[in-house]
């Protein structure tokens, strides 16, 4: 219910109760950050108070779509020469960073958010399963949607790249 209502206070309390170091560890593993650019265990971590790129958001949500397995992003899947000979083909390699059960639980919550929460406008007319979460900064200076289907993950950010400008 707190996800569907986008309750910031509930997630700050949950992070504190869970242990902020644990939240940081899981977030770092999901998006692939190391100690040099790690999140900090601030109570506001669940509110998006630390910068995350759209690519990092997509990588993190792909872990959920992949049942807890993190895949390295790749930009080129295959290269062929003029004769059709394969010069390069990406071989995906994943690493489990969440249990399958945890990924399924979070996916169920985010799917409910698309069905009846703040992510309702992302519901697909085809009825295909979709899951995701919205995010908005104070004064509507930034807005996000990160979502996924079983086959595709996307992250969308709207805002001004150099300053906070209200979109209202």
């Amino acid at each position: 219910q707190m996800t569907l209502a986008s309750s910031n206070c509930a997630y700050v309390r949950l992070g504190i109760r869970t242990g902020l170091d644990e939240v940081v560890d899981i977030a770092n593993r999901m998006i692939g950050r190391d100690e040099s650019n790690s999140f900090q265990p601030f109570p506001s971590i669940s509110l998006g108070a630390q910068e995350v790129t759209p690519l990092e958001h997509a990588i993190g949500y792909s872990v959920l779509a992949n049942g807890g397995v993190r895949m390295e992003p790749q930009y080129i899947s295959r290269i062929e020469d003029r004769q059709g000979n394969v010069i390069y083909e990406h071989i995906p390699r994943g690493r489990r960073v969440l249990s399958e059960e945890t990924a399924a639980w979070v996916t169920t919550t985010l799917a409910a958010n698309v069905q009846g929460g703040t992510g309702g406008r992302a519901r697909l007319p085809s009825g295909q399963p979709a899951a995701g979460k919205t995010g908005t900064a104070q004064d509507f200076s930034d807005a996000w949607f990160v979502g996924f289907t079983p086959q595709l993950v996307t992250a969308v950010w709207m805002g001004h790249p150099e300053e906070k400008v209200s979109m209202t």
Side-chain angles (χ1 to χ4, degrees):
Q1 291 300 340
M2 296 297 100
T3 300
L4 276 58
S6 204
S7 173
N8 291 341
C9 292
Y11 277 91
V12 169
R13 286 191 304 268
L14 180 61
I16 291 169
R17 185 171 184 138
T18 302
L20 295 172
D21 288 331
E22 290 292 324
V23 174
V24 164
D25 180 55
I26 289 172
N28 285 336
R29 283 189 286 143
M30 286 179 72
I31 66 174
R33 287 192 178 183
D34 59 24
E35 290 181 20
S36 69
N37 63 346
S38 174
F39 287 109
Q40 298 302 308
F42 302 139
S44 60
I45 187 172
S46 62
L47 306 182
Q50 297 174 58
E51 289 194 23
V52 180
T53 68
L55 178 60
E56 287 175 323
H57 270 296
I59 293 167
Y61 275 59
S62 75
V63 170
L64 302 171
N66 286 327
V69 176
R70 182 184 186 282
M71 306 298 287
E72 277 301 316
Q74 51 92 18
Y75 300 98
I76 298 172
S77 56
R78 184 178 165 129
I79 300 171
E80 296 180 6
D81 66 16
R82 289 183 200 169
Q83 289 76 38
N85 299 311
V86 176
I87 297 170
Y88 168 82
E89 187 160 12
H90 175 74
I91 299 170
R93 291 186 176 88
R95 182 172 69 98
R96 179 157 302 281
V97 296
L98 287 179
S99 72
E100 199 168 345
E101 180 181 68
T102 298
W105 180 76
V106 175
T107 296
T108 298
T109 302
L110 295 175
N113 189 53
V114 168
Q115 289 302 310
T118 60
R121 289 190 174 170
R123 197 170 326 132
L124 299 171
S126 66
Q128 180 181 25
K133 181 71 182 83
T134 59
T136 308
Q138 288 182 320
D139 300 324
F140 298 98
S141 58
D142 290 289
W144 287 88
F145 180 77
V146 186
F148 59 96
T149 67
Q151 298 82 20
L152 182 67
V153 178
T154 189
V156 178
W157 168 76
M158 290 175 35
H160 192 286
E162 296 174 17
E163 59 184 294
K164 301 258 184 220
V165 177
S166 178
M167 289 186 276
T168 58

